[in-house]
Amino acid sequence: MYDAFIAYASNDEPKARQFRALLESLGYTAFLDADCIDPGEIWESAIEKALHSALVTFLLISRASGSAYYQNEERLRAVGQVRHSGHRLVPVYLMGREEAATLGVQTQQLQGLYWESHSLGPVAAKVDRAMKASVQQRSEVGMINEKTVLIVTGCDITPELFDRPNAYRLKEAIDWNTKASCKTFLKATVMGDLWFFDYHASHPNVISLGGPSVNKLSRIISERGTVMRHHSAEKWHIMQVERRWAIFGGEASETSEALDAFRHSLLSGYLDQIWSMR
């Protein structure tokens, strides 16, 4: 129903309306609860449907955000929507970078936009780029074939902030390897574990990032799999079941370290194995 969902504190409604006008001027439809929920409609259901359909959630952040209960609820729901591959959460700080750093919000690990003045002109190009990237990513999901590698992360705020950036780092490595080897039909796509189990549970080529406590697929692989690499102090593990891998550590930094070990010693051989399968 909507290309974008705008989450905001009630005190920031004038800015939210300006932001919606910008999105519409770029040719995108945007959900703003003040305008898009009909009289008598159950607001919770309307918000759920809008989040489900949206490619991008733009989270407007100001000093008022900390006490905005419903905005925080929408943020958590948006994080949950990452299971719908292609959905992304973009923080839009209604202030400069230095002031935003003092807020201590949990979205600071995500690349954000900074709207420092009354003009939206400086952020328009970045908004359009975020939308186009999400359109492209969602279209890629529809082209999954037997030589696609699915990179799966958990669907919660911690894996969204820490494991998902690692997932895109791994996707970049696979794309580079594919291009260097001229394997034109081998590609990777990133999705959440809930989306994976709903739609792609039988897919054979999977790399799961994040520990068993935050990623259902990692839990299954860790219960059934063989340890292929591990840290000498057991801080991280790389496990395998056939062409499915789980890469995780006790902390986010340790998962990142495990991913580096996988990329450097195991990834190339794994991609060769997938390419050779008939």
Side-chain angles (χ1 to χ4, degrees), residues 172-205:
E172 183 179 0
I174 292 173
D175 291 344
W176 181 90
N177 187 292
T178 298
K179 184 176 181 180
S181 305
C182 299
K183 298 175 180 177
T184 51
F185 299 106
L186 182 64
K187 63 188 182 70
T189 191
V190 178
M191 63 181 60
D193 58 346
L194 297 180
W195 178 270
F196 170 80
F197 283 106
D198 281 348
Y199 298 103
H200 302 290
S202 62
H203 193 78
N205 311 317

Side-chain angles (χ1 to χ4, degrees), residues 1-6 29-31 46-58 78 81-82 84-89 131 134-135 138:
M1 298 183 296
Y2 297 95
D3 299 316
F5 183 100
I6 303 171
T29 57
F31 178 90
I47 287 173
E48 197 72 39
K49 289 178 182 177
L51 274 171
H52 182 84
S53 70
L55 289 166
V56 180
T57 291
F58 291 98
Q81 287 301 111
V82 300
H84 300 289
S85 186
H87 188 95
R88 69 176 60 196
L89 177 63
M131 294 299 305
S134 292
V135 170
R138 181 168 286 186

Side-chain angles (χ1 to χ4, degrees), residues 28 55-56 88 127-137:
Y28 302 108
L55 289 166
V56 180
R88 69 176 60 196
V127 168
D128 192 41
R129 192 168 67 195
M131 294 299 305
K132 287 178 178 176
S134 292
V135 170
Q136 174 64 27
Q137 184 178 338

